[in-house]
Amino acid sequence: MGQSGDTEGKGRAPRRAHVGTTIADVAQAAGLSPMTVSRVVNGGQGVASDTRARVMTAIDALGYVPNLAARSLAGGRQDRFALLYDNPSAAWLSELLVGCLAQATDLNALLMVERCEAEIAPSDIVRRLTCHRIDGVILPPPLCDDPALLTALNDASMPMVQVATGHPSALASSVAIDDEAAAYQLTGHLIALGHRRIGHVSGNANQTASPLRRVGFERALAEAGIALDPELVVAGDFSWRSGFTAAEALLSRTDAPTAIFAGNDDMAAGVIAAAHRLGRDVPRDLSVSGFDDSAIATSVWPELTTIRQPLGAMARRAIALLSQARTGQADTWKRRHECYAFELVERGSVGPRGNA
Amino acid sequence: MGQSGDTEGKGRAPRRAHVGTTIADVAQAAGLSPMTVSRVVNGGQGVASDTRARVMTAIDALGYVPNLAARSLAGGRQDRFALLYDNPSAAWLSELLVGCLAQATDLNALLMVERCEAEIAPSDIVRRLTCHRIDGVILPPPLCDDPALLTALNDASMPMVQVATGHPSALASSVAIDDEAAAYQLTGHLIALGHRRIGHVSGNANQTASPLRRVGFERALAEAGIALDPELVVAGDFSWRSGFTAAEALLSRTDAPTAIFAGNDDMAAGVIAAAHRLGRDVPRDLSVSGFDDSAIATSVWPELTTIRQPLGAMARRAIALLSQARTGQADTWKRRHECYAFELVERGSVGPRGNA
DNA sequence: CTGAAAGCGCTTACAG
DNA sequence: CTGAAAGCGCTTACAG
């Protein structure tokens, strides 16, 4: 054997052509060890500032970007989260999706999105998640309000975050707004504009936010000394159609309401459509308010006065909470329940009561 | 040094507790090498059938699931794709997103979703993608129809797939339907129902599908011997509002159309809303058709007669094409242009012409 | 504050 | 048809 390592023995082809800059390249360029580069890249605690500067210069010069697969493998973790959904409003879902995806990308986590119809047994859902090695689950309505599902998931030690639930569970973390307070404020707004006969189209009973919004509505009425007419509260299911149907019934009454608070924007759009069909002007003859500030709120005419909830931020936070849960002990992850600020957004669909 | 390897020298703590079953566990359980297990897991070509069976048994018994990070690292690739979007209909976007995400998950690829407003310079977009080591891009309208963006991306050797474009580019692959033919068939359907004065609300001019749909509309008219009244063609922009406004104008004419073909479902919903507001019954006084069969088509009342395009399948295919592009040589990936079948979906918004 | 060594769990490139 | 070896690009657990 000579001294030259290049020619020693029966060499085999190198694994593959080198593509992309690695941490070793940066280390060499900076005259440091890969370990030090790794430290700088991962926060840089306990690194001399001039060392850090040298590393940063090399990173910029070489255009280094860490290989996430290697990082996951070496770090011993790659989170895989699942977003389960069942037939929410498309606009609502896309906002949720984009937010979750953005955070998942930042955290180098995989996000799997699965439709979960109500007919599927919780045990089957758990099985599927386990199969895919899912480390945590995002649960939007109505799934977040399904006790059987929550229990099954908890029994499988699956961290979960309820998004926009009206009833935070002890088994999960949650991000939500105060639906009751928001509905209260919105209804108060209608009352302040002179409305006394106010209708409400409630949401689907399978979501806990629905009764909360109705309760906020009723509390505002009660505090203003307005007797609740139960005939003016109609059960909807969050669909455009149910808002349309409910409004047709409400507006056909001799003592029709001068304002209608719909439990979400889709139903509010349906209410406006029904009003127009019956020849009523919005907001002159009828004020209509929605809830959520989803895309449809600014699509229809007149645009909807509604409650804005920061869904994108809530979605990002939900993924972050899941990631934190993974960091702690299984079985003992810390549940957190976070409440976000909502905002009353005034647009054209609500106006002062006419002289009736 | 004794024979027992367990006690030799100054041991250091094992890297970390072993979590999850690895390929080595399966190999041991099956009495085979990891290599063989790997072969079975990855398609199983050239493995004796009883060997394969032994491996499968061990996999099932142990509940083995491959570590994707390790696979990516060893395999030398982890694809990172980006879905760029700019303000499409929320329903349309969520269907696209779910499809892309499902395929990305199956392929162990990362999907990054980024909003790209029209004001952003193509060079900045390219820079951002490069920064994130993106290997391919999904381009829905209107981005897929922006020549400057396509050129900039191509100059950066970025594989791209246009989704639902009306003008497949030589620089990209594409998945689409034949918009002209679909519009032609839809218009023919209206004509067959007795309509002669048919209006059209065209889509945003920044999307190539818009003029194609109008051309299909015009061809159907011409072939039926109906003279085109240019006054009956109004420019919209795919928004609900533009459909609403256009229909208000169209229906206020003394020679108002008996049917309106809107360039997408959002605009069709706006057209129906305007019709109702003006006291017209749909479809008795006015037939309305949409295009896309997005969620809004079955939300509004009456439900929309429209053209269904298989967006979920197209989205999955788009990701698959990107993945294939990565397999080939950079700079020479094979562009493919695939056309999907559409379907005319008949619902309640279209009916025979009344006796006018 | 910095670094040499081991190892994460897989696949590629061989050899037999 | 099957397997031993090397290596993917990082991070952890140490040592100094």
Side-chain angles (χ1 to χ4, degrees):
Chain A
M1 316 284 165
Q3 291 183 46
S4 166
D6 286 317
T7 55
E8 102 181 65
K10 40 162 188 173
R12 58 171 56 194
R15 191 66 189 292
R16 99 192 130 91
H18 180 74
V19 290
T21 311
T22 72
I23 200 170
D25 300 327
V26 176
Q28 188 177 0
L32 292 159
S33 73
M35 181 68 258
T36 302
V37 177
S38 175
R39 280 201 189 89
V40 172
V41 171
N42 293 291
Q45 288 292 29
V47 178
S49 62
D50 66 319
T51 302
R52 187 208 319 285
R54 269 201 290 160
V55 171
M56 294 307 282
T57 304
I59 285 177
D60 286 349
L62 273 46
Y64 170 69
V65 177
N67 178 315
L68 298 179
R71 177 179 281 181
S72 292
L73 182 58
R77 68 179 282 190
Q78 174 170 48
D79 294 339
R80 319 188 74 190
F81 302 132
L83 166 59
L84 270 29
Y85 72 97
D86 175 23
N87 198 34
S89 146
W92 201 90
L93 177 63
S94 71
E95 195 173 347
L96 179 69
L97 262 176
V98 169
C100 285
L101 217 36
Q103 187 67 46
T105 300
D106 286 356
L107 261 32
N108 188 23
L110 251 48
L111 185 69
M112 168 175 281
V113 176
E114 288 235 59
R115 172 123 196 215
C116 269
E117 269 136 348
E119 303 80 52
I120 303 178
S123 60
D124 286 338
I125 294 177
V126 170
R127 210 185 331 278
R128 213 178 339 162
L129 296 174
T130 313
C131 244
H132 287 286
R133 288 268 180 281
I134 295 296
D135 304 304
V137 176
I138 302 286
L139 261 20
L143 300 172
C144 61
D145 296 322
D146 178 346
L149 179 59
L150 289 170
T151 302
L153 251 17
N154 185 62
D155 289 348
S157 299
M158 182 71 77
M160 44 194 166
V161 180
Q162 303 167 286
V163 176
T165 182
H167 180 56
S169 162
L171 307 178
S173 286
S174 67
V175 289
I177 62 166
D178 185 337
D179 286 283
E180 200 270 349
Y184 173 80
Q185 183 178 333
L186 187 55
T187 308
H189 177 62
L190 297 173
I191 293 170
L193 286 167
H195 296 282
R196 289 297 173 269
R197 285 195 64 75
I198 306 178
H200 176 55
V201 188
S202 65
N204 197 314
N206 70 358
Q207 304 185 207
T208 51
S210 306
L212 284 181
R213 292 176 189 177
R214 198 198 48 211
V215 166
F217 165 75
E218 291 172 355
R219 181 163 66 91
L221 252 39
E223 291 191 7
I226 301 173
L228 175 72
D229 181 348
E231 303 266 305
L232 259 37
V233 177
V234 183
D237 64 5
F238 284 130
S239 72
W240 188 97
R241 191 73 47 84
S242 70
F244 185 84
T245 308
E248 278 190 323
L250 248 17
L251 296 178
S252 303
R253 302 175 61 93
T254 50
D255 55 353
T258 62
I260 294 179
F261 162 34
N264 76 347
D265 293 337
D266 287 315
M267 293 195 296
V271 168
I272 290 181
H276 283 164
R277 186 144 183 275
L278 294 173
R280 314 291 173 92
D281 185 81
V282 176
R284 198 194 59 210
D285 304 325
L286 180 75
S287 283
V288 179
S289 74
F291 201 107
D292 283 345
D293 199 21
S294 57
I296 199 171
T298 46
S299 293
V300 298
W301 186 89
E303 297 188 347
L304 296 177
T305 287
T306 189
I307 293 288
R308 167 161 168 69
Q309 56 177 321
L311 187 53
M314 289 159 65
R316 294 191 71 112
R317 182 65 182 155
I319 292 286
L321 285 170
L322 244 26
S323 179
Q324 286 175 16
R326 281 277 291 166
T327 308
Q329 298 282 356
D331 279 357
T332 62
W333 60 285
K334 184 121 165 67
R335 274 81 167 168
R336 305 192 46 153
H337 296 284
E338 304 191 346
C339 191
Y340 282 73
F342 58 83
E343 185 189 354
L344 171 59
V345 181
E346 295 183 46
R347 298 204 184 92
S349 68
V350 165
R353 182 177 70 152
N355 306 327
Chain B
M1 314 288 164
Q3 293 186 44
S4 166
D6 285 319
T7 56
E8 102 181 64
K10 40 163 187 170
R12 60 171 55 192
R15 190 66 188 290
R16 96 191 134 91
H18 181 75
V19 291
T21 311
T22 71
I23 201 170
D25 300 327
V26 175
Q28 187 177 1
L32 292 159
S33 74
M35 181 68 257
T36 302
V37 176
S38 175
R39 280 202 189 86
V40 172
V41 170
N42 293 292
Q45 288 293 28
V47 178
S49 61
D50 66 320
T51 302
R52 187 206 321 284
R54 268 200 292 161
V55 171
M56 295 306 283
T57 305
I59 285 177
D60 286 350
L62 271 46
Y64 170 69
V65 177
N67 179 315
L68 298 180
R71 176 178 285 181
S72 292
L73 183 57
R77 68 180 281 190
Q78 175 171 45
D79 294 340
R80 318 188 74 191
F81 301 133
L83 166 60
L84 270 27
Y85 70 97
D86 175 24
N87 198 33
S89 144
W92 200 89
L93 178 64
S94 72
E95 195 173 348
L96 179 68
L97 262 175
V98 169
C100 285
L101 218 36
Q103 186 68 43
T105 300
D106 286 356
L107 261 31
N108 188 24
L110 252 46
L111 185 69
M112 169 173 281
V113 177
E114 288 235 59
R115 173 125 195 213
C116 269
E117 269 134 349
E119 302 79 53
I120 304 177
S123 60
D124 286 338
I125 294 177
V126 169
R127 211 185 331 277
R128 214 180 337 164
L129 296 175
T130 313
C131 244
H132 286 286
R133 287 267 179 284
I134 295 296
D135 304 305
V137 175
I138 302 285
L139 260 20
L143 300 172
C144 62
D145 297 322
D146 178 345
L149 180 58
L150 290 171
T151 302
L153 253 14
N154 185 63
D155 288 348
S157 300
M158 183 71 77
M160 44 195 167
V161 180
Q162 304 166 286
V163 176
T165 183
H167 180 55
S169 161
L171 307 178
S173 286
S174 67
V175 290
I177 62 167
D178 185 337
D179 286 282
E180 199 271 350
Y184 172 81
Q185 183 178 332
L186 187 56
T187 308
H189 176 62
L190 297 173
I191 294 171
L193 286 168
H195 296 282
R196 289 297 173 269
R197 284 195 66 74
I198 307 178
H200 176 56
V201 188
S202 65
N204 197 314
N206 70 358
Q207 304 185 207
T208 50
S210 306
L212 284 181
R213 291 176 190 176
R214 198 199 47 212
V215 166
F217 165 75
E218 291 172 356
R219 180 163 66 92
L221 251 41
E223 290 191 9
I226 302 173
L228 175 72
D229 181 348
E231 303 265 305
L232 259 38
V233 177
V234 183
D237 64 5
F238 285 132
S239 73
W240 188 98
R241 189 73 48 82
S242 70
F244 185 84
T245 307
E248 278 189 323
L250 249 17
L251 296 177
S252 302
R253 303 174 60 91
T254 49
D255 55 351
T258 63
I260 294 178
F261 162 35
N264 77 347
D265 292 339
D266 286 315
M267 293 196 294
V271 169
I272 290 181
H276 284 163
R277 186 141 181 276
L278 294 173
R280 314 292 172 92
D281 185 82
V282 176
R284 198 194 57 209
D285 304 324
L286 180 74
S287 283
V288 179
S289 74
F291 202 108
D292 284 344
D293 199 21
S294 58
I296 200 173
T298 46
S299 293
V300 298
W301 185 88
E303 295 188 348
L304 296 178
T305 287
T306 189
I307 294 288
R308 168 163 167 67
Q309 57 177 322
L311 186 54
M314 289 158 64
R316 295 191 69 113
R317 181 64 182 157
I319 292 287
L321 285 171
L322 243 27
S323 179
Q324 287 175 16
R326 281 277 291 164
T327 308
Q329 298 283 354
D331 280 354
T332 62
W333 59 284
K334 185 123 165 67
R335 274 80 167 170
R336 304 191 47 152
H337 296 283
E338 304 190 347
C339 190
Y340 283 73
F342 57 82
E343 185 189 353
L344 171 59
V345 182
E346 295 184 44
R347 299 205 183 93
S349 67
V350 166
R353 181 175 72 152
N355 304 327

